[in-house]
Amino acid sequence: METAAILHRPDSEYAYLYQTGDFHVRLRTKKGDVASVGLISGDPYLFHEDSWYKEEQKMELVASTDFHDYWQIATTAPYRRLQYGFHVVDNDGEAIFYGDRGAFPYTSETLANPGYFFRMPYFQEIDRFKSPEWVKETIWYQIFPERFANGNPAITPKNALPWGSKEHPDREDFYGGDLQGVIDHLDYLVDLGINGIYFCPIFKASSNHKYDTIDYYEIDPDFGDKETFKKLVEEAHKRGIRIMLDAVFNHTGDVSPLWQDVVKNQEKSKYLDWFHVHSFPVDIGKNGNNEGARTVSYDTFAFTPHMPKLNTANPEVQAYLLDIATYWIREFDIDAWRLDVANEVDHHFWKKFYQATTAIKEDFYILGEIWHSSQSWLQGDEFHAVMNYAYTETIEDFFVAKRIAPSKMVAGLNEQLMLYRQQTNEVQFNMLDSHDTARLLTICEGNKDLAKATLAFTFLQHGSPCIYYGTEIGMDGENDPDCRKCMIWEPAEQDLKMLDFTKKLIQLRKTYQKILSLGSLEWILIEEEKKVIGFKRVGKEGTLICYFNQGTENAEIELLTHNKVVLSQLTEGTQNQINIEPNGFIVCLEN
């Protein structure tokens, strides 16, 4: 047995309260090395009684990666505290006890030593990671406001181009999208099945993307005003649609009054300590402060002197940003913040941010933009979720880029799921394209069947799925700025078959939401050469059986005759003997 591969950490994603009184325990072992794992647990204050612990509970093998197996169990404790250890048996029958002091022979003497066990001292309900329930039921729709719809021509920028007049927009182009345009198309989103809108920034800024904030308290005048935004939120809520705004708190725009005071007064500015300034002058074009240069004399977003980085360790900056964060909840009843460049802001500030926002709205959703492993932000006192790039990029690596095998995708997805608590995975934010990346249809090289299969696979995973505006009608586009084309509203120019498919996919997600959000994920078929994947989503409400064919030949799948097909693409045959064509898939409800 490779004991060096065994891992458990108390009070982490390996040991946590899931629901009130429901305690999840995980153990990691070397892949293929262990035959069984049992949990030995009981009350620490009853340790010296003969039957202090429950009968050993068998743990389930829930996930495997390239290197490790993960075992899990849900257990309880009548007195809300737990002392526990693991009985680990390898494939040759060798048994060990694994606990807080490491690995020991599995003997009565070992089990008699209380110091060898892990502890959950008390089930503190206040410390339990609580994710908003409504997010599990949400299908998001990302809107880049400048390009969605022009509803109020009176506020269209004077330099705006005719809507959609360029096949490939440039970075500096304006077209006049606004908030009234979103209001005008809320019923379109309802018909699509959307119940959550994620907006790119809407606050006053110089650019078309608005990530260079000038004033966090004002709606950009090109988009409308506060009255229009208030109406948008109210109308969205009437239709059951939640609203998530984009908060750019890592940096501000260089023409904001805050930074302009530093430019004007240099060392004497009252806002000097609001930023990270290393030398003077700070003027652009002087002292090495050039676009893309590594000589910028103050900290910025990337190497962009037009976006000076805020010092969130400064109490004055904290108070300023927290007031902004709570202002838009108090005054406009928004439901969520998406936090731009969240990993470059200190944990100390985000903990205060969490407390301030959730104190106003208990089920408020906090989403961090982080592109890598994010355990330290997802302990229950900072973010509820992150934009799940590592997960969705693994899907794209298999389906779209064709650079990994089916087993590698499965291992990668399992790896990501085991990084976090179950309640975190249930509200992760899953998107395949965005304002930052090439559109799905483009990376699929125009293959709409492949795009549909990739979307469907993503919608069948844990987490809350998001559609980038226009994906549902077949819009394409390379990386920024080409992925920010004007929304196409003329039905004759839309792919109505793609639209119909997207509606069916969203309805599938909503119909079987509890299975897909809360249920287990079980891989049942992985064919390396044929590139066929099969899995089950199992919940209290039933079981969904799913097969995807990413090979070059038809895949023959045998189903039970009483399974009900709830969504399929490119399949033929009888109900129990299905031929799935390349890029095809089938989703069945097991009756």
Side-chain angles (χ1 to χ4, degrees), residues 364-432:
F364 195 77
Y365 179 52
I366 304 173
L367 174 69
E369 184 207 14
I370 300 180
W371 292 62
H372 52 81
S373 300
S374 309
Q375 295 100 315
S376 58
W377 288 272
L378 296 172
Q379 299 301 310
D381 58 353
E382 294 186 43
F383 308 158
H384 296 108
V386 295
M387 303 182 81
N388 209 7
Y389 289 113
Y391 199 86
T392 53
E393 285 177 355
T394 299
I395 294 171
E396 290 179 352
D397 278 349
F398 170 67
F399 276 83
V400 181
K402 314 294 187 188
R403 54 177 163 243
I404 60 174
S407 59
K408 185 68 174 178
M409 181 189 71
V410 170
L413 298 182
N414 285 344
E415 182 84 42
Q416 292 300 312
L417 290 172
M418 292 297 103
L419 286 176
Y420 310 118
R421 294 163 173 82
Q422 182 172 327
Q423 56 263 50
T424 305
N425 290 326
E426 291 168 357
V427 295
Q428 289 280 62
F429 191 86
N430 296 333
M431 60 197 314
L432 293 167

Side-chain angles (χ1 to χ4, degrees), residues 234-249:
E234 290 173 350
E235 291 297 323
H237 283 174
K238 285 179 186 177
R239 294 164 171 80
I241 298 174
R242 306 273 184 160
I243 299 295
M244 177 161 63
L245 295 186
D246 205 332
V248 190
F249 290 166

Side-chain angles (χ1 to χ4, degrees), residues 7 53 73 145 275 291 314 355 368 383 489 521 554:
L7 178 66
Y53 63 83
I73 192 170
F275 301 91
E291 184 67 31
N314 182 331
Q355 293 175 350
F383 308 158
W489 289 111
L521 171 63
N554 285 7

Side-chain angles (χ1 to χ4, degrees), residues 275-493:
F275 301 91
H276 302 270
V277 180
H278 306 297
S279 64
F280 298 92
V282 297
D283 309 64
I284 291 179
K286 300 179 181 179
N287 196 21
N289 300 321
N290 301 306
E291 184 67 31
R294 301 184 183 184
T295 54
V296 179
S297 66
Y298 49 91
D299 291 348
T300 65
F301 168 68
F303 296 102
T304 305
H306 295 286
M307 296 183 181
K309 181 178 175 64
L310 287 162
N311 177 17
T312 50
N314 182 331
E316 292 180 349
V317 176
Q318 292 173 7
Y320 171 69
L321 295 179
L322 293 177
D323 186 66
I324 293 163
T326 54
Y327 171 78
W328 292 96
I329 305 173
R330 291 192 314 267
E331 301 298 326
F332 299 90
D333 197 26
I334 66 169
D335 304 287
W337 279 115
R338 181 263 191 186
L339 307 172
D340 187 60
V341 203
N343 57 338
E344 295 185 25
V345 176
D346 61 272
H347 291 283
H348 186 78
F349 172 74
W350 287 136
K351 293 179 193 297
K352 291 188 174 185
F353 181 92
Y354 175 89
Q355 293 175 350
T357 54
T358 57
I360 298 175
K361 204 168 191 177
E362 188 177 3
D363 65 348
F364 195 77
Y365 179 52
I366 304 173
L367 174 69
E369 184 207 14
I370 300 180
W371 292 62
H372 52 81
S373 300
S374 309
Q375 295 100 315
S376 58
W377 288 272
L378 296 172
Q379 299 301 310
D381 58 353
E382 294 186 43
F383 308 158
H384 296 108
V386 295
M387 303 182 81
N388 209 7
Y389 289 113
Y391 199 86
T392 53
E393 285 177 355
T394 299
I395 294 171
E396 290 179 352
D397 278 349
F398 170 67
F399 276 83
V400 181
K402 314 294 187 188
R403 54 177 163 243
I404 60 174
S407 59
K408 185 68 174 178
M409 181 189 71
V410 170
L413 298 182
N414 285 344
E415 182 84 42
Q416 292 300 312
L417 290 172
M418 292 297 103
L419 286 176
Y420 310 118
R421 294 163 173 82
Q422 182 172 327
Q423 56 263 50
T424 305
N425 290 326
E426 291 168 357
V427 295
Q428 289 280 62
F429 191 86
N430 296 333
M431 60 197 314
L432 293 167
D433 51 2
S434 73
H435 68 290
D436 284 326
T437 65
R439 285 184 171 272
L440 176 62
L441 190 58
T442 295
I443 63 175
C444 290
E445 298 181 342
N447 187 329
K448 293 179 180 179
D449 290 333
L450 175 58
K452 291 175 183 177
T454 310
L455 267 174
F457 186 90
T458 303
F459 266 63
L460 291 164
Q461 304 303 306
H462 289 94
S464 186
C466 179
I467 292 175
Y468 185 40
Y469 80 95
T471 293
E472 75 278 11
I473 56 168
M475 284 179 61
D476 61 6
E478 299 287 350
N479 288 322
D480 164 31
D482 201 45
C483 58
R484 302 172 180 181
K485 296 178 181 180
C486 293
M487 178 68 174
I488 298 170
W489 289 111
E490 295 78 13
E493 298 180 28

Side-chain angles (χ1 to χ4, degrees), residues 149-169:
N150 186 330
N152 183 3
I155 61 172
T156 299
K158 293 181 180 179
N159 61 339
L161 300 171
W163 192 260
S165 56
K166 274 189 182 180
E167 184 179 357
H168 302 288

Side-chain angles (χ1 to χ4, degrees), residues 454-554:
T454 310
L455 267 174
F457 186 90
T458 303
F459 266 63
L460 291 164
Q461 304 303 306
H462 289 94
S464 186
C466 179
I467 292 175
Y468 185 40
Y469 80 95
T471 293
E472 75 278 11
I473 56 168
M475 284 179 61
D476 61 6
E478 299 287 350
N479 288 322
D480 164 31
D482 201 45
C483 58
R484 302 172 180 181
K485 296 178 181 180
C486 293
M487 178 68 174
I488 298 170
W489 289 111
E490 295 78 13
E493 298 180 28
Q494 297 176 340
D495 185 334
L496 299 182
K497 290 183 179 179
M498 186 71 176
L499 180 61
D500 182 63
F501 169 81
T502 306
K503 289 179 180 180
K504 289 178 180 177
L505 182 59
I506 291 173
Q507 187 57 50
L508 172 78
R509 176 79 194 191
K510 295 170 87 168
T511 300
Y512 302 104
Q513 175 266 321
K514 289 187 177 180
I515 297 174
L516 295 171
S517 293
L518 310 179
S520 64
L521 171 63
E522 300 176 13
W523 302 101
I524 56 178
L525 178 65
I526 303 172
E527 292 192 358
E528 293 289 86
E529 298 299 323
K530 294 183 178 180
K531 295 184 171 21
V532 177
I533 293 277
F535 62 92
K536 289 183 179 182
R537 297 302 317 276
V538 182
K540 295 178 181 178
E541 298 76 16
T543 297
L544 289 176
I545 304 173
C546 317
Y547 290 97
F548 285 77
N549 179 15
Q550 284 300 298
T552 58
E553 300 178 356
N554 285 7

